[in-house]
Amino acid sequence: MFYTHYLSATLSESQQSIMAFYDNKYWILSHVRNSFLYSDDTGMCEMILQNADIPKKIREEGKKQWFGNLDDSEEEFDDDGRIHTRSLGNGNDDFGTRRRRLNTVVRLEKMRKEQQAAAMISTIRWKEPDLTNLDQGEKTKIFQKKEVVAQNSKSALSKLMAEHASDPDSPFIEYAKFDGNSQLRAPTRTIRIFLSMQSAEDRNFPMTVCVVASAKVSELIGLVCYKYSHEKREPPLTGSVDNYALFIAEDDGSPDADFPCLEPKEVVGKFGFTSLALVRSANPPKEAKKDVETNKTVDQLNTEKPEERGAVLESTDYHSFKGFLLHKVRPNTEITLGISWDQVEIKPCPTSRSVTTLLWSRPNLKPTRLPIEVIVDCVPMQTLPASVAIMYYDTDKRKWRRLRIECDSKTIEQVVAKLKFILEIRGGLYRQEYLHHMSYVNKKASLIR
Amino acid sequence: MGNNNGDQVILATGGYDHSIKFWQAHSGVCTRTVTHPESQVNALDITPDSQLLAAAGYQHIRMYEINSSNPNPIVNYEGISRNVTAVGFHEDGHWMYTGGEDCSARVWDLRTRNLQCSRIFQVTAPVNCVCLHPNQGELLVGDQSGVIHIWDLRTDHNEQLIPEQDASIQDISIDSSANFMAAINNKGNCYVWSLIPGNKLPDGEEGSTQTQLRPKSRLLAHKRYGLKCKFSPDAKYLATTSADQTAKLWKTSDFSLHSTLQTENQRWVWDIAFSADSQYAITASSDNTARLWSIETSEIAKEYIGHSKALTSLAFQDGTP
C-alpha cells in the first residue's frame, strides 16, 4: 500500500494528469517489478531485472497513456521502465522506501564485489579425454609405476608440540577466536588498547587489536589478555577476564574516569571507540554493580562481610566515610570524606546543632576538594584515638600538607585501602616525588640510627 | 618439484559452514578462514609442493593458495555433475584425481590448462573414495554398490573385487610401503589385504603387471557406518572412524584393538590423519570440532574450535623439522 502512496508522491510533482494504474500495462509491469525488487531481501530479483527490459511497445503505450505527449516524461523512467526513486526534498519520502532502496544498493555492491572476486578465479572445465591423440609413450611416461620408497618419519608437528609443551596453556586461548584477522567478511573493530598494568614507558605504546564486531566486551578483554600473554608482555597477567575492565582512554592513554567501565555483556560492535584502556580491578564487575551510583555510609559498610567490603572498595566507584577532621587549634569537625576515582572531597556534616558548634562553625569549613593528582599518600596514624592521614601537595602554597581524620579502625582500613588502590593506578608525578623524598628521608633516618 | 615449505605444518578443516579454516596445529589457533560458498566440503587434500589446497564440493573442485591471505579460491575445476567425493594428487603434482557421485573417477592433467592427459574411468555406482597406490600408477576406486576397482592407469586394465555384497565402500587406504590395503564399508566392517606388487613385464617392456591382493583380515570394527580408514605412516596402526562417535586404532601386527579415541562431545568422526612419526592423530567430527590426539595416551592434546557447522573433512601435511 505504501508503494502506491509513494508512487503518487513521485508523480504528483511533475504530473497532474490522470493516473490510470491498473489498466495501464506498463504501470502494472513496473509496479510488479518494483514490488519484487523492494520486497526481495536476497538481491536475486535485482540481478535478474537488471537485464530484462519491458518490451518497447508496452513501454511506449504506457507512457503515452500516462503523460500524453509531454517530452520531459523520459526523465521519470529508466530504460528498463523502473520508476526513478529520486529523493524528494519536500519530505514526501516514505522513509521505509528509502531504507529499502539503500539495502538494495548495499546488496548490489556486495554482488559486484563477489563478481569481481569470481573474475579473479580461473575456471578450468573438464575436457573429455581424446584417447586417439594420446600416444602410448606419453601415457607410459605420465602414469608409469614407481618404486615404493620408505617415507621420512620425522614430524615437525611433534617437534612443535614438544617445544610448546612447557608453555602454560594460555588461560585466555579460548578468546583467540575473536580475533578479526582470521575471520572471513565478518565486520570487525580495530581498537588501540592501552595497558595500564605495564610499566610507565610501556604504557604509552598501545596494543592494536582487531576484534569481530559481534564479540562482547568481556570477550574483547579475553582477546586482549590472550594477545598480551602470547606476546609475553610484562608483568604477567593474573586472574581471569572478570578481573579486568575496559575504560574509554583519554589522549594520553589513561582511563577516563568520567565514564564507568564498558559493560562486559555489551556487544563491541555497538561502540565506535578507537582507544580503550585495560585496567585491573580486583573485584569481578558483578559485585561492583551492587553499589553503583549509591553512596555507601559507614553503617552500610559495617553490616557487610569484611571480604565483600574489601572487594567493593578496590573499585573505581565513589565511596564516602564519616569521621572528624582534626585541626591544630580548633575543635574537630564532623565531616564526610568522599573518595572517588578523580578526587577526594571533605564535606562538613551539618548534623550537630549544639550552640557551641554553631558558634564555632565558621564559613571556612567549606567543602574541600582535592583532585587525585595532588594526593600523594594515605597512611593510618598511630594516635589515640586512631586516625588516618591523607597527604597532599598544596599547589598554592607549594608544599606537602596533611589532613588528619579521626574515625573508627574499620573506616581507617577502608580509606587507606581505597586510596592506596586508586593511587596505584592514578598516582602521578606528585606522588612519585613524594615517595622518592620519603625513601630518601627514611634512608637517612636509618643511617643515623 | 621440490618441497618449498618442507618444514611447514599445514592443517585445514572444512564441512558444512561454507568455510575452510587453517590452523596452527600446535596451539589450536585458527590462522585463516577462506570461503567455500554454496556447497559443503566433501574432501580436502594438499598438493605435494604445499602450495595449494584442493576442496572437493558439489560439482566442482576449488583450489586455494595456502601461503596467502586470499579468502577466495584461485582455480575452480568444473564440468562435473553431482558431488565430487574424493580428491588427491600424484606425488610430483602432475595430475589430480577425483571421484564422484556421477559414477566416475577422473584424472585431471595439471601441467596445462587444456587438460591434455585427462582420463576417466566409469563405474556403475556412485564413487565414494579413490586411493592412489604408492607406486603412482594404479588407482583404487570404491563405489556405493560395494565394489573395489583397481585401475591401471598405464594400461587401462582394471580388476574388481567385492569384499562384502551390497555394502557401500566408504574409504580405501594403502600403507606407505604398499604392504597392506584396507577398505571400510557402511556396515562398519574393515577388510585388509596384503598387496603383492606386479611383476616386471618380460622382454624389457616398460612397466609391470597389476598389483595382486590377498585377503588378510576382516575387522568388525564398528557397529555403525564406517566412514574412514587410514594406515599410520609407520604402518603399525590402522585407524577406522565411524558414526559411532569414535575412531579406533588397530595394531597391524595382529589386528587387535589398540585404543579408542573418543570423548563426550564428539559426534560422527568423518576424517582422520596421522603425524609423520605416527605419534599424533587428528580427527574431524560433526560436533564442529577437530581434535589432536596423542596415540600413546589416547588423550586430547589440542582442540580446533571455530567452525559453526559439522566438519566432514580435514587435510594435514606434517613438515620435516
Side-chain angles (χ1 to χ4, degrees):
Chain A
M1 283 306 114
F2 86 88
Y3 178 71
T4 318
H5 161 77
Y6 168 82
L7 181 60
S8 51
T10 327
L11 297 178
S12 66
E13 246 202 303
S14 52
Q15 305 303 331
Q16 302 301 320
S17 48
I18 304 153
M19 298 197 255
F21 296 125
Y22 293 97
D23 45 76
N24 181 328
K25 282 191 193 154
Y26 175 66
W27 187 91
I28 294 174
L29 265 176
S30 304
H31 181 47
V32 166
R33 281 161 159 252
N34 280 290
S35 303
F36 268 108
L37 283 175
Y38 287 128
S39 55
D40 175 35
D41 280 345
T42 66
M44 271 296 245
C45 290
E46 190 100 34
M47 232 167 47
I48 297 166
L49 288 173
Q50 248 179 336
N51 300 319
D53 288 341
I54 294 184
K56 203 171 173 196
K57 198 175 163 202
I58 300 179
R59 205 192 315 164
E60 248 129 58
E61 244 177 44
K63 280 188 188 174
K64 238 197 253 175
Q65 239 185 321
W66 230 329
F67 303 113
N69 287 313
L70 293 169
D71 289 317
D72 59 354
S73 63
E74 300 306 306
E75 291 163 32
E76 287 293 331
F77 299 94
D78 287 341
D79 276 346
D80 66 351
R82 229 181 296 170
I83 294 175
H84 233 322
T85 51
R86 292 174 299 147
S87 77
L88 304 170
N90 59 6
N92 263 357
D93 286 337
D94 188 331
F95 185 66
T97 323
R98 202 197 269 152
R99 214 188 309 139
R100 279 204 196 169
R101 182 72 181 182
L102 277 175
N103 277 347
T104 320
V105 167
V106 164
R107 247 165 231 116
L108 263 179
E109 261 309 302
K110 200 173 158 196
M111 268 192 294
R112 212 169 290 135
K113 275 201 187 126
E114 272 168 19
Q115 275 168 5
Q116 259 182 344
M120 305 278 286
I121 303 172
S122 67
T123 302
I124 298 176
R125 221 179 149 72
W126 170 257
K127 200 183 99 172
E128 283 305 322
D130 189 1
L131 289 168
T132 51
N133 276 344
L134 189 65
D135 64 36
Q136 194 56 33
E138 183 78 8
K139 236 173 141 185
T140 310
K141 200 169 68 159
I142 302 167
F143 300 114
Q144 76 177 2
K145 295 197 185 75
K146 299 188 171 182
E147 278 298 317
V148 174
V149 286
Q151 293 293 308
N152 166 41
S153 66
K154 291 217 179 71
S155 165
L157 173 64
S158 292
K159 182 164 174 255
L160 285 165
M161 290 296 288
E163 273 172 12
H164 292 263
S166 50
D167 289 358
D169 217 10
S170 173
F172 304 106
I173 197 157
E174 62 190 285
Y175 296 101
K177 61 181 184 256
F178 294 106
D179 191 341
N181 286 324
S182 64
Q183 298 298 329
L184 245 191
R185 279 200 216 136
T188 58
R189 294 279 181 274
T190 304
I191 310 173
R192 291 181 317 160
I193 310 278
F194 288 90
L195 304 155
S196 66
M197 57 286 301
Q198 292 205 281
S199 66
E201 313 96 57
D202 290 340
R203 219 180 292 176
N204 292 323
F205 299 97
M207 176 199 282
T208 305
V209 159
C210 177
V211 66
V212 287
S214 56
K216 297 198 203 95
V217 168
S218 60
E219 291 160 350
L220 168 59
I221 294 175
L223 175 62
V224 173
C225 294
Y226 167 72
K227 291 193 80 171
Y228 187 104
S229 317
H230 196 66
E231 292 167 18
K232 294 199 165 50
R233 288 177 184 242
E234 290 294 319
L237 298 172
T238 53
S240 73
V241 288
D242 294 330
N243 297 112
Y244 291 90
L246 279 172
F247 287 79
I248 304 168
E250 306 220 22
D251 291 331
D252 65 348
S254 58
D256 187 345
D258 294 335
F259 297 96
C261 66
L262 267 52
E263 197 43 51
K265 295 206 175 70
E266 288 285 359
V267 170
V268 171
K270 265 178 150 190
F271 307 113
F273 305 120
T274 50
S275 301
L276 293 174
L278 185 73
V279 170
R280 193 187 202 288
S281 60
N283 66 309
K286 308 188 212 52
E287 282 194 48
K289 266 194 84 67
K290 256 196 266 159
D291 16 82
V292 82
E293 283 154 30
T294 58
N295 292 345
K296 293 173 113 266
T297 61
V298 169
D299 295 321
Q300 276 179 294
L301 286 170
N302 279 336
T303 55
E304 279 178 309
K305 293 186 214 127
E307 318 88 62
E308 264 185 35
R309 206 184 308 153
V312 145
L313 282 171
E314 283 188 28
S315 75
T316 56
D317 305 320
Y318 177 87
H319 284 111
S320 63
F321 311 90
K322 283 219 169 103
F324 291 90
L325 185 63
L326 302 176
H327 306 274
K328 286 200 178 126
V329 280
R330 277 186 268 122
N332 307 336
T333 45
E334 199 174 342
I335 50 111
T336 304
L337 170 68
I339 304 177
S340 75
W341 186 247
D342 56 0
Q343 71 180 15
V344 168
E345 190 182 52
I346 298 176
K347 280 195 299 211
C349 254
T351 48
S352 33
R353 291 185 194 287
S354 73
V355 174
T356 1
T357 49
L358 278 172
L359 275 176
W360 283 105
S361 64
R362 299 277 201 86
N364 61 359
L365 284 180
K366 304 192 268 280
T368 312
R369 282 202 186 88
L370 297 164
I372 273 287
E373 284 77 35
V374 303
I375 308 285
V376 297
D377 206 1
C378 175
V379 290
M381 295 208 63
Q382 309 301 332
T383 53
L384 275 172
S387 60
V388 64
I390 298 177
M391 264 73 83
Y392 67 97
Y393 184 74
D394 189 332
T395 42
D396 298 324
K397 301 220 173 99
R398 303 267 182 96
K399 60 181 192 171
W400 287 312
R401 305 196 75 188
R402 183 176 68 188
L403 283 171
R404 279 180 55 200
I405 297 165
E406 203 180 272
C407 40
D408 63 76
S409 50
K410 283 199 190 98
T411 314
I412 294 175
E413 256 177 57
Q414 288 154 17
V415 168
V416 171
K418 185 152 182 77
L419 262 179
K420 276 238 145 60
F421 171 71
I422 295 177
L423 287 174
E424 261 313 302
I425 298 173
R426 295 213 65 186
L429 284 170
Y430 293 128
R431 174 163 166 79
Q432 278 182 28
E433 256 186 58
Y434 176 81
L435 289 172
H436 187 74
H437 173 80
M438 286 311 285
S439 73
Y440 173 73
V441 162
N442 288 335
K443 226 188 262 177
K444 258 196 127 180
S446 62
L447 281 174
I448 292 169
R449 267 186 239 127
Chain B
M1 238 183 254
N3 200 355
N4 297 347
N5 302 295
D7 55 346
Q8 207 186 5
V9 177
I10 306 166
L11 174 61
T13 52
Y16 276 79
D17 70 356
H18 300 308
S19 78
I20 295 168
K21 284 183 186 284
F22 290 88
W23 307 87
Q24 189 179 55
H26 68 270
S27 68
V29 174
C30 170
T31 55
R32 180 168 157 235
T33 306
V34 299
T35 147
H36 188 266
E38 291 155 25
S39 149
Q40 75 284 1
V41 176
N42 296 322
L44 288 170
D45 201 17
I46 299 169
T47 55
D49 65 359
S50 312
Q51 297 300 305
L52 299 173
L53 172 75
Y58 183 69
Q59 303 193 140
H60 63 246
I61 304 108
R62 293 177 180 147
M63 310 291 284
Y64 297 85
E65 276 178 318
I66 289 179
N67 289 312
S68 136
S69 52
N70 185 354
N72 298 311
I74 55 162
V75 187
N76 185 35
Y77 292 95
E78 51 176 43
I80 324 130
S81 63
R82 302 176 67 196
N83 276 299
V84 180
T85 53
V87 66
F89 293 92
H90 179 274
E91 69 184 9
D92 290 337
H94 291 152
W95 45 264
M96 171 175 79
Y97 60 86
T98 61
E101 284 176 342
D102 64 348
C103 310
S104 73
R106 289 162 206 251
V107 169
W108 305 67
D109 187 347
L110 297 178
R111 301 168 305 163
T112 57
R113 258 192 77 92
N114 59 1
L115 303 175
Q116 248 180 319
C117 251
S118 58
R119 309 281 299 282
I120 187 165
F121 181 72
Q122 293 283 166
V123 299
T124 52
V127 169
N128 287 333
C129 53
V130 183
C131 175
L132 178 64
H133 191 294
N135 65 19
Q136 310 297 306
E138 285 168 301
L139 276 180
L140 287 101
V141 181
D143 73 27
Q144 217 170 287
S145 66
V147 180
I148 298 174
H149 309 258
I150 306 166
W151 178 23
D152 184 322
L153 292 164
R154 193 182 60 86
T155 63
D156 255 328
H157 188 69
N158 68 88
E159 304 253 325
Q160 291 183 4
L161 61 136
I162 306 175
E164 193 178 328
Q165 285 287 350
D166 298 321
S168 166
I169 305 287
Q170 299 298 123
D171 197 20
I172 299 171
S173 174
I174 299 179
D175 75 295
S176 46
S177 317
N179 292 322
F180 297 115
M181 180 177 102
I184 192 165
N185 65 23
N186 64 350
K187 300 229 166 88
N189 300 328
C190 189
Y191 294 84
V192 185
W193 295 262
S194 300
L195 294 176
I196 301 134
N199 299 314
K200 271 249 172 289
L201 291 175
D203 303 332
E205 237 185 274
E206 283 266 13
S208 55
T209 57
Q210 238 179 334
T211 302
Q212 298 295 309
L213 275 78
R214 195 181 294 152
K216 188 153 167 54
S217 185
R218 179 177 78 147
L219 294 167
L220 301 178
H222 301 272
K223 293 211 170 67
R224 298 198 56 197
Y225 295 128
L227 295 170
K228 280 276 181 335
C229 61
K230 196 154 278 175
F231 282 99
S232 62
D234 61 5
K236 282 211 188 101
Y237 303 108
L238 168 62
T240 57
T241 76
S242 165
D244 71 358
Q245 304 177 9
T246 70
K248 288 189 180 166
L249 293 173
W250 308 85
K251 292 197 268 251
T252 52
S253 51
D254 59 358
F255 292 105
S256 62
L257 179 66
H258 171 267
S259 57
T260 305
L261 306 178
Q262 65 186 357
T263 182
E264 202 183 305
N265 298 330
Q266 187 163 258
R267 298 281 164 270
W268 291 30
V269 183
W270 283 91
D271 210 348
I272 189 164
F274 281 95
S275 65
D277 59 3
S278 310
Q279 291 303 307
Y280 292 98
I282 305 177
T283 57
S285 171
S286 44
D287 71 341
N288 315 352
T289 310
R291 293 176 176 86
L292 178 72
W293 304 78
S294 154
I295 303 276
E296 202 183 315
T297 62
S298 301
E299 273 168 19
I300 298 173
K302 284 278 173 266
E303 285 193 325
Y304 306 101
I305 302 171
H307 279 281
S308 51
K309 291 214 176 131
L311 289 182
T312 48
S313 101
L314 66 89
F316 178 62
Q317 194 175 86
D318 202 344
T320 318

